[in-house]
Amino acid sequence: MIPEGVSGAEAACRFTVTPEPQAAAGPGINGSAARSRPQQPEGDAATATAFPTPPFSFVTLSSQSRSFLLPQYIFVCTLRIGANRITTVSTHAEVIIMAILSVDGAYITLEAPFHPELSPQARRYRGRFVGKGKWRFEAKWESDLRAMCHMLFGVDGRPETVADQVDLTVAVEENGRSPLFRRFHDDIYLGGRQVAGVLKGRLIPRPGKGIRFVRGEPLLEHKGLQWWLWIPTGSEFIIRGVPRMAVPFMESKLDGHGRLLTAQAA
C-alpha cells in the first residue's frame, strides 16, 4: 500500500506496508528460517539535501507517510538521489512519536503522544487539537512551546534531537512517599511515557506502548468498585525509543521511585 497525494521532498520516501512474512521452510542464514522480502517501491526524485545521511530517521518522513506505519509491520523505504538508489528495510514493533514541533509560516504544529497534562498546558497557548495526536498554535508561542515540551517530555521538539534515541532499562524502587508506580484509577507515566495502563471495560493491566517488562509486571488491586494500578518494587522494564536528550529528565523523575540501570542505543 502506497499513500497517494504525497509529493515533493517530504514524500521522497514512499512505503509498501505488508504484514511481517512467515518464515519459509528450510534453513536460512545462520541456520534460521529464510524470509521472503516485500516488493520494494520506487521513490520520487529528491535532492541530496532533502534527507539526512542514511539510516533515515522516522521523523524525516511526512506525517501522511507516518500514518501508514502500523505496529508489527515491515516497511520498505526507497530513496532515489540522482542515479543512485538507497533502500532500507526495517521492522518495528512500536512506532512512538515524542513531541515534534513543526514550524510552517504563521503556525506551529505539535505532534505528541497522549499525556494527561498536555491538554491543559496546550490550552494556555491557545492550542487547537486537530486530531491524530496533533495540536496547532500560532508561531509566536514557539519558545513557550519548546519549554512546555521540556517540562512534559524532556525534549525541545526539534526532529534531530528526538531522532537520537536510546532504550532505557529501569528498576522500580519505591521509597514509600508519594509513589510514582502506584496510581488510583489512573495510568502510570514516567517522563511523558505511559509505562502501564488498564484495558477499559475489562480492567486488565497492560504495559504501555514501547514498554517491555523483564522482571515483574503491572498489577491491579481491586477494592470493591475501586482499583489501584501498581508496579511492585523489584520490577524491571525497558522503555524503547527514548530521545537521548530526555535521559536526564527521566532520571530526575525516578528520584525516590527507582533507578536507571542501562541506556543502550535504540
Side-chain angles (χ1 to χ4, degrees):
M1 179 174 62
I2 299 176
E4 297 180 356
V6 183
S7 61
E10 268 195 327
C13 249
R14 289 180 176 266
F15 292 93
T16 291
V17 183
T18 58
E20 185 171 353
Q22 299 296 322
I29 299 175
N30 297 328
S32 61
R35 293 191 175 195
S36 60
R37 293 178 57 137
Q39 184 178 359
Q40 300 173 357
E42 297 290 340
D44 293 339
T47 62
T49 58
F51 285 82
T53 304
F56 302 106
S57 167
F58 180 73
V59 299
T60 64
L61 309 175
S62 70
S63 58
Q64 185 169 356
S65 297
R66 289 191 210 127
S67 66
F68 285 81
L69 301 185
L70 305 178
Q72 298 178 354
Y73 274 60
I74 285 180
F75 63 90
V76 180
C77 174
T78 302
L79 172 66
R80 175 172 290 171
I81 303 177
N84 299 321
R85 188 176 67 182
I86 305 169
T87 301
T88 62
V89 182
S90 301
T91 303
H92 287 264
E94 300 286 352
V95 176
I96 300 172
I97 299 297
M98 285 294 289
I100 299 175
L101 289 171
S102 304
V103 182
D104 183 14
Y107 295 97
I108 294 178
T109 299
L110 168 64
E111 186 172 4
F114 174 81
H115 187 290
E117 294 297 321
L118 178 56
S119 180
Q121 290 295 328
R123 300 297 183 190
R124 294 179 57 192
Y125 307 111
R126 300 179 183 178
R128 183 167 62 91
F129 185 69
V130 294
K132 297 183 179 180
K134 295 182 180 179
W135 292 80
R136 195 179 190 190
F137 305 84
E138 295 180 9
K140 66 180 181 179
W141 301 111
E142 181 176 357
S143 60
D144 298 281
L145 293 175
R146 296 199 184 280
M148 181 186 73
C149 289
H150 265 294
M151 181 181 69
L152 298 180
F153 302 100
V155 297
D156 59 8
R158 302 180 191 279
E160 59 270 24
T161 57
V162 176
D164 183 14
Q165 299 183 347
V166 295
D167 294 339
L168 304 182
T169 302
V170 174
V172 177
E173 297 176 353
E174 289 283 13
N175 62 14
R177 300 192 304 270
S178 301
L180 172 67
F181 294 107
R182 183 178 175 86
R183 310 297 296 175
F184 177 70
H185 279 247
D186 203 359
D187 296 345
I188 296 174
Y189 282 81
L190 173 62
R193 290 289 294 271
Q194 184 195 46
V195 177
V198 176
L199 291 175
K200 305 304 180 185
R202 299 181 64 186
L203 293 184
I204 298 175
R206 60 171 177 80
K209 289 184 178 181
I211 306 295
R212 183 170 69 87
F213 278 80
V214 294
R215 179 178 297 175
E217 61 182 355
L219 301 175
L220 203 61
E221 180 180 332
H222 293 268
K223 291 185 178 180
L225 297 178
Q226 300 178 339
W227 52 266
W228 292 81
L229 177 65
W230 62 298
I231 301 174
T233 290
S235 299
E236 295 179 7
F237 57 88
I238 298 173
I239 311 179
R240 301 195 182 280
V242 177
R244 193 182 302 273
M245 180 182 188
V247 174
F249 176 72
M250 288 288 199
E251 286 188 291
S252 69
K253 296 298 181 181
L254 282 170
D255 186 25
H257 308 287
R259 58 192 175 94
L260 181 62
L261 298 180
T262 62
Q264 299 179 337

